[in-house]
Amino acid sequence: MEWETVIGLEVHVQLATQSKIFSGSSTRFGAEANTQASVIDLAMPGTLPSPNAEAFRYAVMFGLAINATIAKRSVFERKNYFYPDLPKGYQTTQLEAPIVGSGAVDIALDNGETKRIRIHHAHLEEDAGKSLHEDFHGMSGIDLNRAGTPLIEVVTEPDMRNAPEAVACAKKLHAIVTSLGICDGNMSQGSMRFDVNISVRLKGEEKLGTRTETKNLNSFRFMERCIEQEVQRQIEVLEDGGTIQQETRLYDGDTHTARSMRSKEEANDYRYFPCPDLLPVVIDDEYIAQIRQALPELPDQRQQRFIADYKLSNYDADILSANADIAHFFEATAKACGDAKLSANWLMGEVSARLNAEEKSIAEAPLSPEQLAGLIRRISDATVSNKIAKKVFDAMWQGEGDADSIIEAKGLKQVSDTGAIEQLVEDVIANNAKQVENYRNADEAKRPKMLGFFVGQIMKASKGQANPQQVNKILLQKLK
Amino acid sequence: MEPSEIEKLADLARLEITADTVNETAKSINEVLALVDQLKSADTDNVQPMSHPLDVTQVLRPDQVTESCQREKLLESAPATERGLFLVPKVIE
């Protein structure tokens, strides 16, 4: 039997406003518990919500970025349920008249094709607080600092057919909101959280299978693993003659397993109704046009520009344009050193490997674009070889200064002096008479491979500082 | 509405309705629902649902932090607190 996977995403995006969506409390992350929770956030009697204009502007920016229809009249509703981190007993959200209507994003597939993922809608709502389940004498602790933080929830159509497509869509949404500057994109702090709806059906079947929802994934890697596991689980259940229960599952990033949180048998009945505390929000064409005009460059536009301006490959341009901070770092480096290709290689190679290993974002990198450009200039003008450049890079990463001062201080300058290299080559030839004889007697075809031995010895003797091109050239002459 | 539906509704709304008042409550609610049924007979096909009785629109507030920390005062009204947190009966997901 051949199965087809169907995936839809619900993405919670925390908006990077200063204050909350309905109160003047700060939204700063990491504050001491309950120091940013006001009487409005706590839903004290007699308080009224007052909506944040910036949250609307951000939502409209997102809508325009995905070519969505923008609702000129949007309405807040109450979604009623009880949970201790939801102090009002309802979440203020949008249902019938969300601010952002249907739109789409394009994702790049592995085979180089582009696939369009439709966005059903995106609505504004408030975040809940946090429940801390560690032991408080058998009780739970509640921190309401996050309660009322503005969110847009982006709901896609079930247009994705495998885990890589879902991850590509998630990454594209991340790229869009960070490029717009409406979200800091910090997933480990929960600034973007993904719920994944997954079902499987027999290939060719039109009807969707019963789906499960896995909530609160906050890393692309977990998302991919979680989808693969859940698809496998569903297929096994169905092939064993079972049926899929519609349920909500919670993914545990520590154990990499998902478990059932609640089944829909006790189906949630949220009893939505328009919030009587809030009036309809009406915006006009002029407001939308002003926002459209001020939209920053979007990832797709940036990718095209990188290809045109810097002659980058599709692949390089895609990676470097996805994150606004990385894109800026790349452009600043390329402009400062004049070599876009080397800038791209170093950013996608050494820099990103180091950031990954240290779990840092590009903003936290210990070196500046100017410093990286300084190193690239010394590679371009052959002051250092690629191998030595990595040593210099290490030192720069440790904060030891600029490329030039490190090269100077450590005596890492590449030896391009022909006389000095000739001496090295002659020494190695003299000390390895046997290998030289073998080389001279060998087939033409086998020689290039044998040459590596001599190059290795010479580079070793020069402590890696001899110019490799010159070593090759001189060595070939001397071995003739 | 049947008494069983009343019980479910009470559960969702966190209201306690005892067994001896379920029937009475169902009767009262059904009287209100009869009125709703009358309203339902009106033709509303071309009417936009009203979300607010007043014909006014929402004024938005500039994005500024205007609240200061009131934690100590706000924690005072809670029955149990610890290390700046409100404590509630353990919630297990």
Side-chain angles (χ1 to χ4, degrees), chain B residues 1 28-38:
Chain B
M1 283 179 93
S28 312
I29 288 183
N30 282 328
E31 280 169 20
V32 176
L33 290 178
L35 282 173
V36 175
D37 280 338
Q38 276 184 43

Side-chain angles (χ1 to χ4, degrees), chain A residues 19-20 33-34 51 137 142, chain B residues 58 61 63 71 82 84 86 90:
Chain A
S19 64
K20 293 187 178 176
N34 289 312
H137 333 289
I142 304 294
Chain B
Q58 184 68 48
R61 158 184 71 82
D63 180 26
R71 180 167 79 170
E82 191 175 318
F86 297 99
K90 194 152 183 101

Side-chain angles (χ1 to χ4, degrees), chain A residues 169-327:
Chain A
C169 179
K171 283 186 174 168
K172 179 50 74 74
L173 289 169
H174 185 270
I176 290 170
V177 299
T178 53
S179 295
L180 291 171
I182 63 172
C183 171
D184 67 20
N186 191 326
M187 294 177 55
S188 61
Q189 291 179 357
S191 298
M192 248 183 126
R193 311 191 295 267
F194 298 88
D195 301 346
V196 188
N197 289 304
I198 305 168
S199 63
V200 298
R201 62 182 171 192
L202 282 175
K203 197 129 196 169
E205 174 71 60
E206 294 243 337
K207 207 167 143 262
L208 290 170
T210 304
R211 68 161 193 259
T212 63
E213 179 180 16
T214 304
K215 283 186 107 64
N216 267 333
L217 295 160
N218 67 350
S219 109
F220 298 128
R221 202 157 35 100
F222 290 169
M223 181 190 281
E224 184 145 11
R225 285 179 81 147
C226 151
I227 293 171
E228 274 158 9
Q229 282 174 14
E230 176 60 10
V231 167
Q232 203 49 45
R233 187 189 71 87
Q234 290 191 12
I235 289 175
E236 277 166 21
V237 168
L238 292 170
E239 289 190 341
D240 287 349
T243 50
I244 303 297
Q245 299 296 318
Q246 185 171 351
E247 63 182 353
T248 303
R249 299 171 70 81
L250 200 67
Y251 191 74
D252 184 336
D254 293 327
T255 59
H256 298 295
T257 51
R259 62 191 165 80
S260 185
M261 201 165 96
R262 55 169 184 250
S263 78
K264 293 268 170 168
E265 271 172 46
E266 50 213 81
N268 291 300
D269 181 347
Y270 293 122
R271 294 147 295 138
Y272 283 90
F273 63 90
C275 180
D277 286 347
L278 291 158
L279 298 164
V281 176
V282 173
I283 53 179
D284 59 19
D285 286 326
E286 195 190 341
Y287 171 86
I288 297 170
Q290 275 173 3
I291 293 176
R292 189 191 298 277
Q293 208 170 16
L295 273 191
E297 186 175 45
L298 291 166
D300 287 352
Q301 297 165 338
R302 189 154 51 213
Q303 185 186 359
Q304 290 313 308
R305 187 168 60 80
F306 280 6
I307 293 169
D309 290 3
Y310 298 104
K311 311 281 174 274
L312 294 186
S313 68
N314 236 329
Y315 178 82
D316 290 0
D318 184 38
I319 290 184
L320 292 172
S321 61
N323 173 303
D325 289 338
I326 290 176

Side-chain angles (χ1 to χ4, degrees), chain A residues 2 22-23 27 36 74-75 84 105 145 153 165 183 208 230 269 331 349 352 401 424 434 438 453:
Chain A
E2 202 183 342
F22 297 123
S23 82
T27 55
Q36 294 174 178
S74 56
V75 175
V105 294
N145 280 350
E153 180 175 338
E165 285 183 16
C183 171
L208 290 170
E230 176 60 10
D269 181 347
E331 284 204 89
S352 79
L424 285 168
K434 182 89 185 123
N438 288 346
F453 165 77

Side-chain angles (χ1 to χ4, degrees), chain A residues 17-21 23-25 32-35 37-38 50-54 73 75 82-84 132-133 136-143 250 269 271 274 276 278-280 282, chain B residues 8-9 12-14 48-52 54 56-71 74-75 77 80 82-93:
Chain A
T17 54
Q18 299 300 307
S19 64
K20 293 187 178 176
I21 186 168
S23 82
S25 304
E32 230 183 284
N34 289 312
T35 55
S38 70
S50 172
N52 186 338
E54 197 71 343
R73 180 178 181 276
V75 175
F82 285 99
Y83 203 75
L132 304 166
H133 301 294
F136 291 96
H137 333 289
M139 299 181 89
S140 289
I142 304 294
D143 173 9
L250 200 67
D269 181 347
R271 294 147 295 138
L278 291 158
L279 298 164
V282 173
Chain B
K8 185 176 174 241
L9 195 61
L12 284 171
R14 296 292 190 275
Q48 191 187 35
M50 183 176 71
S51 51
H52 202 278
L54 304 177
V56 284
T57 58
Q58 184 68 48
V59 175
L60 303 179
R61 158 184 71 82
D63 180 26
Q64 280 159 8
V65 175
T66 52
E67 297 289 334
S68 55
C69 174
Q70 304 282 329
R71 180 167 79 170
L74 291 169
L75 286 177
S77 55
E82 191 175 318
R83 282 179 273 157
L85 298 161
F86 297 99
L87 294 190
V88 298
K90 194 152 183 101
V91 261
I92 309 273
E93 288 182 328

Side-chain angles (χ1 to χ4, degrees), chain A residues 418-436:
Chain A
T418 316
I421 294 176
E422 273 183 8
Q423 190 57 53
L424 285 168
V425 173
E426 278 165 15
D427 288 350
V428 167
I429 287 178
N431 294 336
N432 296 283
K434 182 89 185 123
Q435 282 87 347
V436 174

